[in-house]
Amino acid sequence: MVAPMSRTDRGRQGSGGWAAFAVAVLLLCVLVAAIVWQGSRRNGGLLVYALDDAYIHMAVAKNLVEHGTWGTDPGAFAPATSSLAWPLLLAAVFALAGPTDAAALWLAFGSALALLAAARRELARAGTPPLLQLACLVGLVLATPMPALVVTGMEHLLHATLTVVLASLAATRLASESEPERGRLAASGWDLGGIAALAVATRYEALFLAGLIALTLGWRRRWRAALAVAAGSALPVVAFGLVSTAHGGLFLPSSLLLKSAAASSLHGLSSWSLLAGWYARVAYTPELLVLLLLALQLAWGAARHGRRRDLALGALFAGTVVIHCLLAGVGWLFRYEAYLVGLGVLAVLEPAARRLGEELAASGPPARRWLAAAAAVLALLPLAVRAGQALARAVPATGNVYGQHIQMARFVRAHLEGRTVALNDIGAVSYLTSAHVVDVYGLADVEVALARLSGSFDSAWLASHAAARDVEAALVYEGALGGKTPPGWHRVGAWRLGRNVVCGDDTVLVFAVRPGSEAALRAAFAQFARTLPAGVQARLD
């Protein structure tokens, strides 16, 4: 039996924990500042985000403030983003300070600090020694990976924060023998339901964890709490669905339907394809596989020794990993699974490190201690590789966005301002110009989304759709065209990134779409090509 800590020991642990938190915050600040500074030097002195999706959020927020419309085009509703909370937060900043490019960066950085604070609280609650707290918080900064996610300017760190808070509170509630006696929110379960609502509004993947919590509470006959979590997690989905369908959109955001693993092939979907996709996504992210196996092992040990909270937290984490890899995507600058890695560091690595310390301190054959140390190195290796790759790709990713999406916005602003253009990456052009955008991928165009989901999208369909929308020019990837060049489209040029680490394709093709516009667009592209940044190659057709 472990002796209870004295008041002096708790004070030392608390002060040591805050020191660990301060070191982790300092590391985060240094890495983010270095990435932003190097990116600015590389990108003509501009703050450039590592993904075009950040500009989609900013375009929605800008239109919400200036035109009262949820969408990327002024006055036109479009379910273009799966996050509901992030554009609302950006809109609040824009309403107070005006549209500013740095708003997304500061919100993402604040979310990173909130995640560290939530993690520090969880580690202190578990009685984690200060040095182990430091290791966990530094690991959280590097492996999530916080610096790269901050410069995406998106909601993934806020989602990770809410995930940690929700899972921690739910594990505590599930480990108790009875309902909380104090506090109306706790007694009714609406503290859990409220956090679940915020998490789902931030990213729909929070439904996986919230669903597991609701089912487990129901199994434990905690009916009020189970219903509160179910209702809270359903609230943002239903609210957006009603608003979207009332404006001619789909019940779910187009980005969710088009990008999710399960919905990307609604026609012909089978159990085998789901399982094959699950295996491919787990193989692509070995860090999740390692964390999952450790979680199962630790949950088994917790069940044997009566550590109910550790069992609940490990089981919630493991179940969420399995469901996410079955139904959702991974990768794309480490962001889709970031909330799982963040939760895994606390739910799995912290108790695993404690157990490793016990093994190393225990008397016994040296071979056993060496084996335990080797197992720890092998377990941490995928997370170390993830951290290194994220730091190495962050600045080049901003350079990719600058060389491709920012240049698309420059070209449109200089030669197609106020006209209708077809794009497959719509963020920077929508946010930085006043052009009308036809989204050939379908995030901001419901007709395109329906055509892609039904399997009727091809080059002929795209040509007809563009003609009906009076599209003058298209700046698209070859793979977005439905198999071949749409009838009546004439390519006038292209530009290509030198080293692509984040864009869907390294080459943007420029097409004249409206009859009679080819000569003027060719001349405009020839003039523009001379102004492209170093490392970007242009070709005039």
Side-chain angles (χ1 to χ4, degrees):
M1 178 180 294
V2 179
M5 289 188 296
S6 67
R7 182 175 301 177
T8 301
D9 291 336
R10 286 196 296 268
R12 289 174 180 172
Q13 180 176 290
S15 61
W18 284 115
F21 176 79
V23 171
V25 169
L26 179 61
L27 176 64
L28 174 67
C29 291
V30 169
L31 292 176
V32 170
I35 293 171
V36 171
W37 179 69
Q38 291 181 35
S40 177
R41 291 185 61 195
R42 178 175 184 153
N43 303 321
L46 299 176
L47 169 63
V48 177
Y49 291 102
L51 288 168
D52 182 64
D53 300 56
Y55 298 96
I56 297 179
H57 290 292
M58 291 195 290
V60 172
K62 183 179 178 182
N63 284 324
L64 191 60
V65 171
E66 296 181 354
H67 304 282
T69 305
W70 184 278
T72 52
D73 262 12
F77 177 86
T81 171
S82 57
S83 178
L84 311 181
W86 200 250
L88 291 174
L89 289 173
L90 285 168
V93 176
F94 288 177
L96 294 173
T100 170
D101 295 355
L105 180 75
W106 286 111
L107 284 176
F109 183 76
S111 299
L113 295 180
L115 177 55
L116 285 174
R120 192 265 164 192
R121 184 177 184 277
E122 172 66 13
L123 292 169
R125 187 220 57 80
T128 307
L131 284 179
L132 185 52
Q133 286 193 41
L134 176 62
C136 288
L137 292 177
V138 169
L140 194 65
V141 169
L142 297 176
T144 304
M146 288 188 188
L149 294 175
V150 167
V151 296
T152 65
M154 296 179 67
E155 74 280 0
H156 300 280
L157 289 170
L158 178 59
H159 178 213
T161 302
L162 293 169
T163 296
V164 168
V165 173
L166 178 61
S168 175
L169 182 59
T172 300
R173 198 66 50 81
L174 289 168
S176 65
E177 293 291 343
S178 60
E179 297 279 7
E181 296 180 358
R182 296 183 179 179
R184 291 184 178 180
L185 286 177
S188 64
W190 271 107
D191 53 348
L192 284 171
I195 299 170
L198 292 174
V200 173
T202 303
R203 283 198 68 82
Y204 276 46
E205 289 96 328
L207 286 167
F208 305 149
L209 175 60
L212 285 174
I213 293 171
L215 288 174
T216 309
L217 287 168
W219 179 67
R220 294 286 306 276
R221 299 185 183 278
R222 307 277 182 85
W223 302 115
R224 289 188 300 175
L227 288 174
V229 173
S233 56
L235 179 62
V237 178
V238 174
F240 181 81
L242 294 175
V243 172
S244 180
T245 52
H247 287 82
L250 303 172
F251 189 83
L252 295 175
S254 299
S255 57
L256 186 69
L257 292 172
L258 291 165
K259 292 182 178 181
S260 68
S264 59
S265 57
L266 289 175
H267 43 89
L269 189 66
S270 66
S271 300
W272 172 250
S273 65
L274 279 176
L275 292 175
W278 185 90
Y279 174 80
R281 285 181 283 280
V282 169
Y284 183 78
T285 51
E287 57 269 29
L288 287 186
L289 178 60
V290 169
L291 290 172
L292 175 61
L293 294 176
L294 283 174
L296 294 174
Q297 181 185 14
L298 290 169
W300 173 257
R304 291 177 57 194
H305 293 91
R307 299 193 299 269
R308 298 167 63 91
R309 190 179 187 279
D310 289 348
L311 171 61
L313 191 58
L316 289 174
F317 169 76
T320 306
V321 169
V322 171
I323 298 172
H324 179 100
C325 290
L326 191 66
L327 300 177
V330 295
W332 214 269
L333 207 60
F334 311 96
R335 60 191 179 112
Y336 292 132
E337 73 282 1
Y339 78 106
L340 295 172
V341 174
L343 180 59
V345 169
L346 301 176
V348 176
L349 288 190
E350 191 275 338
R354 280 176 169 274
R355 184 170 178 179
L356 174 64
E358 294 171 358
E359 289 286 342
L360 295 178
S363 60
R368 180 176 177 179
R369 293 194 292 271
W370 280 106
L371 183 61
V377 171
L378 290 176
L380 291 175
L381 185 59
L383 289 170
V385 170
R386 175 186 178 87
Q389 288 178 338
L391 290 175
R393 293 178 188 176
V395 174
T398 68
N400 289 165
V401 173
Y402 178 70
Q404 192 172 99
H405 305 103
I406 299 299
Q407 301 310 309
M408 291 165 64
R410 284 186 59 238
F411 180 69
V412 170
R413 189 166 52 204
H415 302 287
L416 296 164
E417 188 75 310
R419 306 177 194 178
T420 303
V421 295
L423 310 166
N424 55 251
D425 278 333
I426 63 173
V429 173
S430 296
Y431 177 65
L432 297 171
T433 79
S434 61
H436 302 287
V437 172
V438 170
D439 182 4
V440 303
Y441 188 72
L443 300 185
D445 192 314
V446 174
E447 292 182 59
V448 174
L450 289 172
R452 286 190 177 276
L453 291 170
S454 66
S456 61
F457 182 92
D458 57 20
S459 58
W461 187 96
L462 178 57
S464 175
H465 184 67
R469 295 292 187 89
D470 195 28
V471 172
E472 182 166 336
L475 288 78
V476 294
Y477 299 149
E478 185 175 7
L481 297 177
K484 60 181 180 180
T485 301
W489 290 26
H490 301 283
R491 196 168 86 180
V492 302
W495 73 84
R496 182 175 180 271
L497 297 173
R499 180 197 171 201
N500 180 26
V501 300
V502 74
C503 294
D505 197 323
D506 60 4
T507 303
V508 174
L509 307 178
V510 183
F511 291 91
V513 177
R514 182 187 295 168
S517 64
E518 181 178 355
L521 190 65
R522 188 185 303 276
F525 181 76
Q527 177 184 351
F528 170 76
R530 294 192 290 268
T531 69
L532 285 168
V536 180
Q537 300 175 346
R539 181 180 72 250
L540 186 65
D541 293 330

